[in-house]
Amino acid sequence: MIIMYGVTGKILNINLTDQSVKVESLSEEIYRKYLGGYGLGAYYIYNNIKPGCDPLGPDNILGFIPGLLTGSVAPMTGRFIVCGKSPLTGKGKRTNGEECTGGWGNANSGGTFGPAIRKAGFDGIFITGVALNPTYLLIEKDSITLESAASLWGKDCVETEEILKERHGKSVKVSSIGRAGENKSLIAGIVNDKGRIAARSGLGAVMGSKNLKALCLKGNTKVDFAAKPQMLELSKAYNKKIKSQLKSKMIRGMIPMFDVMTPLIRVLKMPIGGDGPLMSRIVSNGFGGAAMGTTMVNVLSSQNGDSPVKNYKGVGYKDFPWKSAMNFRGKTLKSKMKRQYGCFSCPVRCGAILEHDELPYDDKETHRPEYETCAAFGSLILNDDLDVLMQANEYLNRTGMDTISAGNIVAYVHECVENQIFTKDDFKCNAYPDGFLPSWGESQFILPLLKMIVNREGLGDKLADGLYMIKQHFPQTAAYAITSNGQELPMHDLRLDPGLGLTYLTDPTPGRHTAGTIDFEGGMGLNYFLKEVEFKNSKDPYQKGFHSADVVKVHQLIETLGFCIFGNNFGRYPFVEMIEAAFGWKFTAEEILTTGQRIQTLRQMFNAREGAIRHELNQRTLGNPPLEKGPLKKISVDLEIMAQGYYEGMGFETNGVPKKSTLEKLGLEALVSDLEHCTGAPEALVNKYLSSGDKSVKSSPDVTPLRGG
């Protein structure tokens, strides 16, 4: 008998239609090839889903998978992945004119639910079918049952978690959907820990389509590690280093200065990156010691061109000036902090529970809104009302809706009102029978609009399916709908960082800023985090795309192992040593890149098979037309040459479909026969690139090592 370390070796398959429960064992070879998280998810779903199936139909598979290191003592590895076919992304028509119904979807969350999956005895839970009535999955030690959720349907995610804890004990861990998922909103997420959300890709709608209200887990399974004492020593040394960084009073004092220095930083165009070790101290203090988390950049990003302003057509200092941005200052939010918390196994503890008396709930505690939410409900829609931001954040957390997509939709609505496409009559609802008129900078109608969307009331019924779908109803509004391949964009303007645009455009789960970006993620310290791989960069677009492939490959390991991507900021991590101590595996630099390439290629093959490689990005975000003022003035971006460099670096054809030779090299020979059914990016975009001349990666000497910042 072969002993596998660090895993249970089992996955759980649930069919809600026939109420069947099946436990399946996996070989060590599968774990070596795909690891955990969406690597394992992509392997299972690709091989078990029906191509062309309806994302909201019974044949879609929804997976809950912890990172391979999640639940261990390894620091910064508390994440888990929800994955399946997305109802939001990849929509459109194949090159042969056939409709395609969605692409690969995954969403990442932290907190305490990831370790609970492994404690329940599994390395992944995969759910298919549709329950006849509202249902929740209950795992208590060795018992696996499907329970009635009739009394939970209609409850928000906080209420659902509290009821299940009363019913099954305080130690249970819960992941659930709220009204957004129940109503199958295509921008619905899945909520754990009363406000941590696997938010992107519309997977909450998939869960709602299955009549699955929640997963409720309580287990005591323990896994054996190859060298647990070594893991403990590596973890202690790393945590000690982090704690020493958190004690830097000088750098801790610098963090709030970002806010007051922002106008000077903008005028002088000062860089905000720098040497990796220095940046790791600044970031670790901002996230941990100063307890401001991602909100440490709220003000700075709103003024330097990072945060999109007024639906991407505005300028920070002009339309959302420093005085307005300071209302969302990290220090201001910190003043409301009741307690600090962190994900499982995290020494940084960048999360916070705030107390806000104006919340319309008996419980006045709420998760601190992260940067993405602050920008989506701040500069993007010109709102500077902190109270409304707090209420919107809590409402969306409870109802299980993605705050990034929701903020984009509010901005879209404001622009439609501005251009008299929507009128007061379009916003008639139960609360406002005569209607209301949302507009830029007016905060009083933000919550009523969100409630219309969550509850699919009136115009909200169309808005709930995201901007790709609503522009089909109102084609004259296409310019206002900020999406990439169907998903609303995050709060980082690609005109400031074109590498992010490459990620938005080409990642199998599009429109995400956490998918492996050469300047954004790589520049935050990847060379300092991982010693085994040397990363390179270039100013030449094709070369930049080519070298982005290595960052993307490594990102797959970071995510599928369960790492928080902010771990890149904290200097050297004992990456290979931790893998060997946990699983007994030797991992070379070549194997790191090959494994990451295999996972990304499998995700890309899913989209190629589904006709979901779209290359659709709103022209305004590319600077067409360019802004006339501000940090991004006169900047326009063409991502196609960069995309072609990336495709070469990944071993894909010019249309994004993986090459036969790449599949064979990565041990994916079984997928070669699927290539005849695959379609890629529209030919017009590829032809545009090809007509630009020779872009051989070997032709340009402009290659430099990638440094932090």
Side-chain angles (χ1 to χ4, degrees), residues 159 190 259 342 363 446 478 508 522 562 567 644 686:
E159 293 170 327
I190 301 170
D259 298 335
D363 187 355
I446 292 174
Q644 291 303 317
V686 177

PDB file of all heavy atoms in Angstrom, residues 159 190 259 342 363 446 478 508 522 562 567 644 686:
ATOM      1  N   GLU A 159     -27.542  35.065   8.758  1.00  0.00           N
ATOM      2  CA  GLU A 159     -28.620  34.332   9.434  1.00  0.00           C
ATOM      3  C   GLU A 159     -28.480  32.832   9.213  1.00  0.00           C
ATOM      4  O   GLU A 159     -28.653  32.031  10.148  1.00  0.00           O
ATOM      5  CB  GLU A 159     -29.979  34.801   8.903  1.00  0.00           C
ATOM      6  CG  GLU A 159     -30.332  36.238   9.259  1.00  0.00           C
ATOM      7  CD  GLU A 159     -31.553  36.733   8.508  1.00  0.00           C
ATOM      8  OE1 GLU A 159     -31.769  36.321   7.349  1.00  0.00           O
ATOM      9  OE2 GLU A 159     -32.308  37.530   9.089  1.00  0.00           O
ATOM     10  N   ILE A 190     -20.426  33.050  -3.201  1.00  0.00           N
ATOM     11  CA  ILE A 190     -20.676  32.055  -2.158  1.00  0.00           C
ATOM     12  C   ILE A 190     -19.934  32.506  -0.909  1.00  0.00           C
ATOM     13  O   ILE A 190     -18.739  32.809  -0.956  1.00  0.00           O
ATOM     14  CB  ILE A 190     -20.218  30.666  -2.621  1.00  0.00           C
ATOM     15  CG1 ILE A 190     -20.972  30.277  -3.903  1.00  0.00           C
ATOM     16  CG2 ILE A 190     -20.437  29.632  -1.525  1.00  0.00           C
ATOM     17  CD1 ILE A 190     -20.439  29.033  -4.589  1.00  0.00           C
ATOM     18  N   ASP A 259      -1.533  58.624   2.568  1.00  0.00           N
ATOM     19  CA  ASP A 259      -2.750  59.389   2.330  1.00  0.00           C
ATOM     20  C   ASP A 259      -2.469  60.878   2.206  1.00  0.00           C
ATOM     21  O   ASP A 259      -2.884  61.528   1.245  1.00  0.00           O
ATOM     22  CB  ASP A 259      -3.751  59.149   3.461  1.00  0.00           C
ATOM     23  CG  ASP A 259      -4.183  57.703   3.549  1.00  0.00           C
ATOM     24  OD1 ASP A 259      -4.108  57.005   2.525  1.00  0.00           O
ATOM     25  OD2 ASP A 259      -4.595  57.269   4.631  1.00  0.00           O
ATOM     26  N   GLY A 342      -7.348  36.935  11.056  1.00  0.00           N
ATOM     27  CA  GLY A 342      -6.628  36.461   9.888  1.00  0.00           C
ATOM     28  C   GLY A 342      -7.180  35.140   9.422  1.00  0.00           C
ATOM     29  O   GLY A 342      -7.905  34.452  10.150  1.00  0.00           O
ATOM     30  N   ASP A 363     -27.184  43.158  14.775  1.00  0.00           N
ATOM     31  CA  ASP A 363     -25.743  43.009  14.945  1.00  0.00           C
ATOM     32  C   ASP A 363     -25.047  44.150  14.196  1.00  0.00           C
ATOM     33  O   ASP A 363     -25.196  44.288  12.978  1.00  0.00           O
ATOM     34  CB  ASP A 363     -25.299  41.661  14.392  1.00  0.00           C
ATOM     35  CG  ASP A 363     -23.830  41.363  14.678  1.00  0.00           C
ATOM     36  OD1 ASP A 363     -23.135  42.239  15.211  1.00  0.00           O
ATOM     37  OD2 ASP A 363     -23.385  40.244  14.342  1.00  0.00           O
ATOM     38  N   ILE A 446     -28.140  54.465  -3.750  1.00  0.00           N
ATOM     39  CA  ILE A 446     -27.266  53.324  -4.020  1.00  0.00           C
ATOM     40  C   ILE A 446     -27.859  52.041  -3.443  1.00  0.00           C
ATOM     41  O   ILE A 446     -27.973  51.018  -4.140  1.00  0.00           O
ATOM     42  CB  ILE A 446     -25.846  53.580  -3.461  1.00  0.00           C
ATOM     43  CG1 ILE A 446     -25.172  54.701  -4.246  1.00  0.00           C
ATOM     44  CG2 ILE A 446     -25.007  52.310  -3.515  1.00  0.00           C
ATOM     45  CD1 ILE A 446     -23.833  55.134  -3.677  1.00  0.00           C
ATOM     46  N   ALA A 478     -23.587  49.871 -24.888  1.00  0.00           N
ATOM     47  CA  ALA A 478     -22.425  48.969 -24.858  1.00  0.00           C
ATOM     48  C   ALA A 478     -21.158  49.671 -24.384  1.00  0.00           C
ATOM     49  O   ALA A 478     -20.327  49.074 -23.692  1.00  0.00           O
ATOM     50  CB  ALA A 478     -22.212  48.355 -26.240  1.00  0.00           C
ATOM     51  N   PRO A 508      -8.126  32.190 -18.347  1.00  0.00           N
ATOM     52  CA  PRO A 508      -9.358  31.421 -18.538  1.00  0.00           C
ATOM     53  C   PRO A 508     -10.535  31.917 -17.695  1.00  0.00           C
ATOM     54  O   PRO A 508     -11.685  31.745 -18.089  1.00  0.00           O
ATOM     55  CB  PRO A 508      -8.950  30.000 -18.140  1.00  0.00           C
ATOM     56  CG  PRO A 508      -7.488  29.949 -18.456  1.00  0.00           C
ATOM     57  CD  PRO A 508      -6.967  31.312 -18.112  1.00  0.00           C
ATOM     58  N   GLY A 522       3.806  40.004  -9.974  1.00  0.00           N
ATOM     59  CA  GLY A 522       5.234  39.737 -10.036  1.00  0.00           C
ATOM     60  C   GLY A 522       6.052  40.865  -9.451  1.00  0.00           C
ATOM     61  O   GLY A 522       7.006  40.655  -8.696  1.00  0.00           O
ATOM     62  N   GLY A 562      -2.909  26.859  -2.175  1.00  0.00           N
ATOM     63  CA  GLY A 562      -3.680  27.510  -1.117  1.00  0.00           C
ATOM     64  C   GLY A 562      -3.063  28.776  -0.579  1.00  0.00           C
ATOM     65  O   GLY A 562      -3.527  29.316   0.427  1.00  0.00           O
ATOM     66  N   GLY A 567       1.231  36.892   0.021  1.00  0.00           N
ATOM     67  CA  GLY A 567       2.458  36.293   0.542  1.00  0.00           C
ATOM     68  C   GLY A 567       3.678  36.701  -0.255  1.00  0.00           C
ATOM     69  O   GLY A 567       4.806  36.672   0.251  1.00  0.00           O
ATOM     70  N   GLN A 644      -0.055  37.826 -27.891  1.00  0.00           N
ATOM     71  CA  GLN A 644       0.624  36.852 -28.740  1.00  0.00           C
ATOM     72  C   GLN A 644       1.956  36.402 -28.121  1.00  0.00           C
ATOM     73  O   GLN A 644       2.328  35.229 -28.226  1.00  0.00           O
ATOM     74  CB  GLN A 644       0.850  37.426 -30.134  1.00  0.00           C
ATOM     75  CG  GLN A 644      -0.432  37.618 -30.923  1.00  0.00           C
ATOM     76  CD  GLN A 644      -1.224  36.333 -31.071  1.00  0.00           C
ATOM     77  OE1 GLN A 644      -0.643  35.277 -31.333  1.00  0.00           O
ATOM     78  NE2 GLN A 644      -2.524  36.408 -30.892  1.00  0.00           N
ATOM     79  N   VAL A 686      -6.279  38.118 -34.454  1.00  0.00           N
ATOM     80  CA  VAL A 686      -5.014  37.459 -34.759  1.00  0.00           C
ATOM     81  C   VAL A 686      -4.409  38.048 -36.027  1.00  0.00           C
ATOM     82  O   VAL A 686      -3.202  38.312 -36.102  1.00  0.00           O
ATOM     83  CB  VAL A 686      -5.228  35.944 -34.901  1.00  0.00           C
ATOM     84  CG1 VAL A 686      -3.917  35.263 -35.286  1.00  0.00           C
ATOM     85  CG2 VAL A 686      -5.777  35.356 -33.610  1.00  0.00           C
TER      86      VAL A 686
END
